[in-house]
């Protein structure tokens, strides 16, 4: 018995020695405690995580055990237990792992744990060159994202993700932007040099957490911050030269005179003073641009701070067009109470001044105006012939010089944040942001202006303030237990947008032009009707939201995510103020299964699938569903007891059932890696169905409503597509590397219906382009079974024996007269079948070289500019292009807009090429200096005969070139990046 007790005591002693508790602390590179680090006994289910101070405690079985320390964004460490009972471990940042961190909305995730369609683009992958908007950083980089931009420095790019899905324009078609956690922040607040990464959330399983504003996808922007324990100072800048990449080949004056002589025609003597004027050369110029960005920052154990200033000056290639912008940004974060509390403040201000011209008039007259007259009379005034008919009736140089447009914009975003670590793994984040957008627009058409004849100077002034306030509070809970990883999110959001707080007025009659539009009180209008006020009522819109998300990961192989957001908006009818936006997705990391070990060529493989619903409430004012009174368009004034008064009456019917447009997306994706992830990629297939489309022109009975039309939810649009993205490290040696990243996306867009049991409409006609004798014609149609941007045009049948253009009418007959509107037929659409991009980067020792090829396939462009120019019989009234020399002078139908002018919009563009050289001096204070040369839009391969095939694909009338295209530019720039 005594022996038995002795053996038992020895075994207890041995067990106590083997099963001991290890305590310790995990710190970062600046010795600050790291919360949320996973501590696991290797090969077992035993695991824990560090608390808010970085402290942990874990039980091990003996000195032979190994502890694994892991945290997203750091290098994993393995430490043998041995005889240790207390450990202090430091984890260092892993730059590669940081690239794998994706912002998913109110949190982050590693790429391997994603279950939705998300694409990330980091700063080193951004496009280079003269970029007026951060959206251009993504051109050609993201499968399914189509970004188009003309050469206009003041125009915003059009951005469409996975096809159009609304009948509304503007913000309603754009993705929803989130900047450093602030929803709805303006992307124009940021300088490209201040952006660390951009994450594009494509499918509803990813975007539904943003609910009613995420139907067109979500673009999350993360700005640069100081890394732990670092202080930095950096400068980047460039100087650039831009020129017109292509001009219209119009006739010179001698050529035009000869053409008219050959056809027994002569110019009116007032239209021929012997000159030979190249109007394109007079209006276009070489533009010079510059950009400078200076930033500094630092980070210590408990604090983080930084600031930057950016100056951008882009001189347009059209005379009197330019954009100047200054952006100032500063932030500070501070930790308190042993890092339990973190407070942060970020302030960003963007101040810009844009100078513009009346482009629609200038661009068309630059081509149409006769080259046979000089710009000026002998007395220095601008030569005009207001009695001449045709398309080119205004001196284009006069339009540019005598009509000034100036837009001053000031945006300010202030964001305050407080984060509290409540318990291990549980934290609460509260944020308050306010954004102010002050717009001051002024135009002055001086006394010599041909656009305001007899007005003695006309001034247009508008000053409007838009303000948005957002309050958010949410909890994040992260817990690891054994093979289970759980992340929970729950939050509340309140937002108020106050828009159009200001005025707009037009007046005329100035004694001189010296002050322009600066002192409109000096005007002397002769009639009350010469003073008008802008019809832009002030409105306040509120949005309240509740949201939650659960993410579950079992054994790093089986992934699950579900989210739900409930949004309430004051913009919609009282019967439909609230909407639910659910989403669910799952992933299977097949690479983690044992059977994959027998296929070493495959280094990563994950299957994911998701379904979700998101909404589209962007672009609405607070009165969208209400009965609104205003000044009817048909009767603005009336006599009230002998006094002229504004007429007031209903201008919008009430619809208490108006609600969000809803987009449901099904997405199936496969992520893969080959040969040790030397090749990685993803394939996604999606079905995106948008229902409850909002359209404002549904006919209703005036016995039930005040007005004959109402805004209602009726239609449905469907987009289906497939996307492929690849990245390959083709070559990797000590001195040389080559990385290539192609992507391609196919999308099919179709309008499924425009009607329901109550609201009936068969089609919607759009694109009323005008032109001689065509003012009532439409060139596009929206109807079930067709895509948005479908062209409906007259059917060109060639020329008859007399050289006159002929057409096939609705009865199938060939006619040589102008067809009827009923003769038009569906002739193709503006939506591209494929969008592609191909990035390549090379490094050789200290040299680097990169280029981007991008383009589209399968779309059509209506070249209405070419149609309007092709007027042989009017050559004595307006100039013609060289191509018209092949037309018969008797062709009185040549200019008619028909499918003759419907051209292929496919193109391949070498969009960007950059050569750089990095110097790393042996000076401790200088980290690196990089010099580079960049060229944009080196060449484009296309069959399109117009200036450029990159026509705006946004709005309801995409793919139309109608005398309004600001020429595309070719840019060469030299820059420097220096870090200290």
């Amino acid at each position: 018995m005594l022996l038995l007790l002795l053996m038992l005591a020895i075994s207890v002693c041995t067990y106590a020695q083997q099963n001991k508790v290890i305590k310790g602390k995990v710190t970062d590179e600046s010795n600050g405690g790291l919360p949320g680090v996973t501590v696991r006994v290797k090969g077992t289910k035993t695991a824990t995580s560090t608390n808010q101070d970085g402290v942990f405690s874990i039980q091990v079985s003996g000195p032979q055990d190994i502890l694994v320390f892991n945290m997203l964004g750091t290098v994993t460490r393995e430490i043998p237990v041995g005889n240790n009972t207390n450990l202090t471990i430091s984890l260092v940042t892993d730059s590669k792992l940081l690239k794998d961190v994706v912002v998913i909305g109110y949190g982050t995730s590693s790429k391997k744990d994603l279950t939705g369609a998300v694409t990330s683009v980091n700063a080193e992958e951004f496009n280079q060159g003269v970029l007026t908007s951060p959206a251009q950083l993504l051109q050609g980089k993201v499968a399914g994202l189509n970004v188009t931009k003309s050469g206009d420095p003041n125009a915003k790019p059009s951005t469409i993700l996975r096809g159009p899905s609304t009948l509304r324009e503007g913000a309603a078609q754009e993705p929803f932007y989130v900047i450093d956690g602030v929803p709805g922040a303006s992307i124009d607040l940021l300088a490209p040099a201040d952006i660390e990464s951009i994450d594009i959330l494509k499918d509803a399983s990813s975007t539904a957490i943003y609910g009613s504003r995420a139907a067109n996808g979500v673009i999350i922007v993360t700005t640069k911050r100081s890394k732990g324990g670092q202080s930095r100072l950096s400068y980047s800048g460039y100087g650039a030269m831009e020129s017109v990449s292509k001009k219209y080949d119009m006739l010179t004056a001698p050529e035009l005179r000869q053409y008219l002589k050959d056809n027994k025609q002569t110019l009116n003597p007032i239209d021929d003073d012997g000159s030979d004027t190249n109007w394109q050369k007079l209006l276009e110029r070489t533009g010079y641009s510059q950009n400078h960005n200076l930033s500094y920052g630092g980070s210590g154990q408990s604090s983080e701070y930084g600031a930057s200033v950016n100056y951008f000056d882009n001189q347009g290639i059209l005379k009197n067009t330019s954009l100047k912008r200054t952006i100032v940004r500063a932030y500070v974060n501070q930790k308190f109470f042993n890092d339990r509390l973190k407070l942060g403040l970020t302030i960003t201000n963007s101040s810009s001044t844009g100078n513009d011209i009346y482009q629609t008039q200038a661009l068309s007259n630059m081509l149409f105006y006769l080259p046979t007259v000089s710009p000026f009379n002998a007395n220095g005034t601008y030569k005009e012939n207001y009695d001449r008919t045709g398309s080119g009736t205004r001196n284009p140089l006069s339009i540019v010089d005598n009509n000034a447009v100036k837009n001053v914009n000031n945006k300010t975003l202030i964001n305050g944040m407080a984060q509290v670590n409540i318990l291990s793994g549980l934290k609460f984040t509260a944020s308050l942001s306010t954004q102010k957008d002050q717009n001051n627009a002024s135009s002055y058409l001086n006394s010599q202006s041909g656009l305001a004849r007899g007005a003695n100077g006309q001034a247009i002034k508008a000053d409007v303030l838009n303000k948005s306030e957002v309050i958010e509070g949410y909890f994040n809970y992260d817990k690891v237990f054994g093979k289970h990883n759980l992340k929970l999110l729950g939050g509340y959001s309140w937002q108020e947008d106050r828009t159009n707080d200001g005025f707009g007025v037009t007046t005329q009659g100035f004694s001189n032009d010296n002050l322009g539009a600066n002192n409109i009180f000096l005007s002397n209008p002769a009639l009350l009707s010469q003073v008008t006020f802008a019809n832009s009522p002030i409105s306040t819109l509120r949005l309240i939201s509740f949201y939650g998300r659960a993410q579950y990961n079992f054994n790093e192989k089986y992934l699950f995510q579900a989210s739900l957001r409930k949004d309430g908006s004051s913009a919609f009818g009282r019967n439909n103020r609230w909407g639910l936006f659910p989403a669910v997705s799952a992933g299977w990391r097949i690479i983690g299964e044992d059977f994959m070990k027998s296929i070493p060529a495959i280094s990563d493989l994950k299957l994911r699938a998701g379904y979700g619903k998101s909404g589209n409430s962007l672009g609405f004012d607070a009165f969208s569903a209400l009965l609104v009174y205003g000044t009817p368009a048909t009767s603005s004034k009336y006599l009230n007891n002998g006094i002229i008064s504004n007429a007031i009456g209903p201008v919008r019917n009430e619809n208490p059932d108006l609600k969000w447009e809803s987009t449901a997306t099904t997405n199936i994706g496969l992520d893969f890696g080959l040969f040790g992830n030397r090749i990685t990629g993803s394939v996604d297939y999606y079905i995106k169905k948008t229902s409850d489309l909002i359209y404002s022109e549904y006919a209703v009975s005036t016995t039930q409503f005040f007005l004959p039309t109402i805004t209602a939810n009726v239609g449905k649009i469907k987009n289906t597509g497939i996307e492929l993205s690849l990245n390959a490290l083709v070559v990797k040696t000590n001195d040389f590397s080559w990385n290539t990243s192609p992507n391609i996306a196919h999308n099919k867009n179709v309008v499924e219906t425009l009607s329901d049991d109550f609201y009936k409409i068969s089609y919607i006609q759009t694109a009323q382009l005008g032109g001689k004798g065509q003012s009532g014609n439409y060139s596009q149609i929206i109807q079930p079974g067709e895509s948005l941007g479908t062209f409906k045009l007259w059917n060109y049948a060639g020329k008859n024996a007399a050289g006159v253009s002929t057409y096939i009418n609705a009865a199938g007959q060939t006619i040589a007269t102008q067809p009827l509107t009923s003769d038009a037929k569906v002739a193709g659409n503006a939506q591209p079948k494929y969008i592609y991009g191909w990035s390549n980067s090379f490094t050789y020792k200290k040299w680097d070289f990169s280029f981007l090829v991008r383009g589209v396939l399968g779309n059509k462009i209506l070249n209405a500019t070419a149609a309007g120019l092709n007027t042989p019989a009017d050559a004595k009234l307006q100039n013609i292009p060289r191509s018209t020399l092949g037309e018969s002078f008797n062709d009185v139908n040549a200019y008619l807009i028909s499918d003759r002018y419907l051209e292929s919009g496919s193109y391949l563009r070498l969009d960007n090429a950059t050569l750089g050289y990095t110097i790393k001096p042996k000076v401790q204070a200088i980290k690196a200096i990089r010099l580079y040369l960049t060229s944009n839009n080196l060449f484009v391969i296309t069959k399109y005969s117009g200036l450029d095939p990159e026509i705006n694909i946004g709005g309801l009338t995409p793919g139309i070139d109608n005398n309004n295209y600001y020429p595309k530019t070719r840019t060469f720039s030299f820059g420097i990046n220096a870090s200290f």
Side-chain angles (χ1 to χ4, degrees), residues 12 26 51 61 121 129 136 219 221 391 398 431 476 533 554 688 826 967 978:
V12 169
V26 182
N51 64 14
S61 60
V121 182
Q136 294 173 265
I219 295 180
V221 181
S391 297
S398 172
S431 67
N476 288 99
F533 294 93
F554 176 71
K688 187 171 78 165
V826 170

Side-chain angles (χ1 to χ4, degrees), residues 325-562:
R325 181 172 59 210
T326 302
I327 299 175
V328 178
R329 174 175 166 266
Y331 68 91
V332 60
N333 295 318
Q334 182 68 46
K335 296 178 181 179
F336 301 91
F337 309 120
N338 294 324
D339 298 342
R340 281 183 173 270
L341 173 65
K342 180 181 179 181
L343 299 179
L345 179 65
T346 303
I347 300 175
T348 308
N349 176 263
S350 172
S351 179
S352 64
T353 300
N355 291 299
D356 209 345
I357 58 177
Y358 281 83
Q359 290 191 24
T360 302
Q361 293 284 339
L363 290 170
S364 60
N365 281 274
M366 179 177 71
L367 305 178
F368 287 110
Y369 206 71
L370 290 170
T372 52
V373 294
S374 64
F376 302 102
N377 294 307
N379 62 1
T381 59
Y382 290 85
K383 182 168 287 188
E384 303 274 12
N385 180 6
Y386 295 126
D387 295 327
R388 186 172 65 244
T389 59
S391 297
T393 59
R394 297 288 185 273
N395 183 326
L397 192 62
S398 172
I399 292 172
V400 170
D401 290 343
N402 292 321
N403 305 282
V405 180
K406 185 177 182 179
N407 296 289
V408 178
N409 177 262
N410 193 287
K411 291 183 175 70
T412 302
L413 176 63
I414 302 175
N415 180 36
M417 178 272 295
Q419 189 175 92
V420 182
N421 292 314
I422 302 172
L423 299 170
S424 177
L426 177 64
K427 64 182 179 182
F428 173 73
T429 303
S431 67
L432 169 64
S433 65
T434 177
Q435 179 174 280
K436 292 184 178 181
D437 187 356
Q438 182 77 48
N439 296 280
N440 185 298
S442 61
S443 300
Y444 187 70
L445 292 72
N446 70 23
S447 58
Q448 302 300 311
S449 170
L451 304 181
R453 293 175 61 200
N456 289 322
Q458 184 183 75
I460 305 169
K461 194 84 171 178
D463 200 337
V464 176
L465 172 65
N466 299 318
K467 184 179 179 180
S468 178
E469 294 180 339
V470 181
I471 300 174
E472 290 206 280
Y474 54 93
F475 291 91
N476 288 99
Y477 179 69
D478 297 356
K479 182 66 175 177
V480 177
F481 43 98
K483 296 182 179 181
H484 307 275
N485 190 324
L486 180 66
K487 292 184 177 182
L488 300 176
L489 165 73
Y492 167 83
S493 176
W494 177 92
Q495 181 168 342
E496 179 178 279
D497 296 337
R498 184 178 173 88
T499 56
N500 290 328
D501 188 355
F503 75 97
V505 63
T506 301
T507 186
Q508 65 183 54
F510 292 86
S511 59
N512 60 68
D513 296 322
N514 294 334
L515 296 177
N518 292 319
N519 288 286
I520 58 177
F521 73 93
L522 294 175
S523 65
N524 292 285
L527 301 171
L528 182 62
S529 60
Q530 294 174 352
V531 180
T532 59
F533 294 93
N535 184 6
S536 53
I538 190 172
S539 67
T540 301
L541 176 67
R542 292 188 180 91
L543 182 72
I544 296 175
S545 309
F546 303 89
Y547 51 87
R549 181 177 62 211
Q551 297 168 269
Y552 174 68
N553 176 337
F554 176 71
N555 199 27
E556 306 250 338
K557 289 192 293 186
Y558 308 110
L559 315 170
F560 175 81
Q561 178 177 296

